[in-house]
Amino acid sequence: SSSVMNISEHLSCPLGFGHYNAVDVCILETVVIVLLTFLIIAGNLTVIFVFHCAPLLHHYTTSYFIQTMAYADLFVGVSCLVPTLSLLHYPTGVHESLTCQVFGYIISVLKSVSMACLACISVDRYLAITKPLSYNQLVTPCRLRICISLIWIYSCLIFLPSFFGWGKPGYHGDIFEWCATSWLTNAYFTGFIVCLLYAPAAFVICFTYFHIFKICRQHTKEINDRRARFPSHEVDAAGETGHSPDRRYAMVLFRITSVFYVLWLPYIIYFLLESSRVLDNPALSFLTTWLAISNSFCNCVIYSLSNSVFRLGLRRLSETICSSC
């Protein structure tokens, strides 16, 4: 159709190799991006509504960070409306370079917020398990709000140099042609982002979860030893009310963190290789980018499948909506 031909002429379709194939690939890219945009927005709106409708979820201090991630992922979905609308209907008169820079900056900031929140969640669970008696004094709602504010400020500042010509903030799989051909990555800026964001967050998460599961394993061993020596109801009750809930909740958050890094690792590796001028493959660029962005929807699925309180809140929300309809 003429609209599809118009898309292929104005937009970068990195997976196509011929004119006919380029048109087909543009349609495929459009379907992928539109579907991801819808799933991300719908999924994270559901998470936000469930958190507001399920008071039991607020008993965990990590709910502050989970909700922050949900809002950040929701804004990722809203930001994805830019390439979605661009593919569905080419917006004439839009300054392409400015749109590309702003879009890349916003996506990078939002994913930085998610990464920093995951690191803070791991620290929070580490403190809950290693310092259970002083945890409530260490982690207060006021300090959590300050921490979340600092996360947003830090994420906004760390990518600002990209506006002054120092590299690309990290968005690949470019939809606009200017992004793919005129806005290049920079090895020094990439190293700057890795050293100040990716590496510290990964180190904190690995350190905290390693010690969390080590402590939980030791605690489980102690409980089993006590049961072997004193097979009474008191020991069983003590074991059930100990670290078991914290461990289960830590496992939920560990799954979210693991999926995050599994989906983002190909993107980060490609980002490093492209910045070093070792690899330049438009198809890999598109695939790794939208694979990483799909994580904004995966968080909703993992949390809804792993947390019983969340499922209860989701059921109540569904019943409320159905009854009102």
Side-chain angles (χ1 to χ4, degrees):
S1 66
S2 59
S3 60
V4 173
M5 299 292 288
N6 189 36
I7 289 172
S8 64
E9 291 174 1
H10 289 92
L11 300 178
S12 172
C13 295
L15 302 180
F17 296 96
H19 183 70
Y20 178 76
N21 289 337
V23 173
D24 290 342
V25 168
C26 277
I27 296 174
L28 177 62
E29 291 180 11
T30 304
V31 171
V32 170
I33 296 173
V34 169
L35 180 62
L36 276 179
T37 301
F38 171 77
L39 291 176
I40 291 170
I41 292 176
N44 285 285
L45 278 176
T46 303
V47 171
I48 292 168
F49 285 136
V50 169
F51 265 92
H52 282 291
C53 297
L56 287 175
L57 287 169
H58 295 282
H59 291 179
Y60 294 105
T61 54
T62 48
S63 65
Y64 287 87
F65 295 112
I66 295 291
Q67 289 182 80
T68 301
M69 288 175 57
Y71 279 109
D73 289 335
L74 175 62
F75 292 145
V76 167
V78 173
S79 300
C80 287
L81 288 174
V82 175
T84 300
L85 295 175
S86 300
L87 285 169
L88 293 175
H89 179 70
Y90 184 72
T92 57
V94 175
H95 200 286
E96 190 174 326
S97 61
L98 180 61
T99 303
C100 178
Q101 285 181 313
V102 172
F103 178 61
Y105 175 78
I106 291 174
I107 289 288
S108 300
V109 168
L110 293 174
K111 298 319 295 178
S112 172
V113 169
S114 294
M115 193 174 294
C117 282
L118 288 172
C120 290
I121 285 172
S122 68
V123 173
D124 177 83
R125 291 298 89 196
Y126 177 77
L127 293 175
I129 290 177
T130 57
K131 300 182 183 297
L133 298 179
S134 58
Y135 174 76
N136 291 331
Q137 287 74 37
L138 290 172
V139 182
T140 62
C142 180
R143 289 178 180 176
L144 287 171
R145 293 188 187 98
I146 292 173
C147 181
I148 291 171
S149 300
L150 291 176
I151 286 173
W152 281 98
I153 294 171
Y154 183 79
S155 300
C156 290
L157 290 177
I158 196 173
F159 290 102
L160 268 182
S162 62
F163 276 108
F164 301 98
W166 191 31
K168 198 174 185 177
Y171 174 69
H172 301 281
D174 305 301
I175 301 302
F176 294 104
E177 185 178 357
W178 187 90
C179 297
T181 59
S182 302
W183 198 17
L184 303 178
T185 53
N186 182 289
Y188 295 106
F189 183 67
T190 302
F192 171 77
I193 297 298
V194 169
C195 292
L196 293 184
L197 179 62
Y198 297 154
F203 174 78
V204 168
I205 288 170
C206 292
F207 175 84
T208 52
Y209 278 113
F210 172 79
H211 286 279
I212 285 171
F213 291 119
K214 182 180 178 181
I215 292 169
C216 290
R217 190 163 53 248
Q218 290 174 350
H219 183 77
T220 303
K221 184 180 178 182
E222 291 174 1
I223 292 173
N224 292 333
D225 291 341
R226 289 179 185 177
R227 285 175 178 170
R229 293 179 185 177
F230 312 102
S232 65
H233 296 290
E234 294 179 1
V235 176
D236 292 338
E240 290 175 359
T241 58
H243 286 288
S244 183
D246 284 329
R247 185 181 183 181
R248 287 197 298 269
Y249 194 59
M251 280 299 300
V252 174
L253 300 172
F254 180 72
R255 291 188 194 108
I256 292 175
T257 305
S258 300
V259 171
F260 181 92
Y261 277 95
V262 166
L263 293 177
W264 274 83
L265 189 60
Y267 169 83
I268 294 172
I269 292 173
Y270 181 83
F271 186 25
L272 292 170
L273 293 176
E274 186 186 87
S275 302
S276 305
R277 303 296 183 266
V278 175
L279 179 64
D280 185 9
N281 189 309
L284 282 177
S285 176
F286 179 85
L287 293 174
T288 55
T289 295
W290 291 97
L291 181 66
I293 290 177
S294 69
N295 175 256
S296 296
F297 172 69
C298 293
N299 289 341
C300 316
V301 177
I302 297 168
Y303 206 72
S304 60
L305 293 177
S306 303
N307 190 283
S308 58
V309 179
F310 184 89
R311 289 198 300 271
L312 178 61
L314 182 60
R315 191 181 307 118
R316 289 177 178 175
L317 178 63
S318 303
E319 290 173 354
T320 303
I321 294 175
C322 291
S323 61
S324 63
C325 293

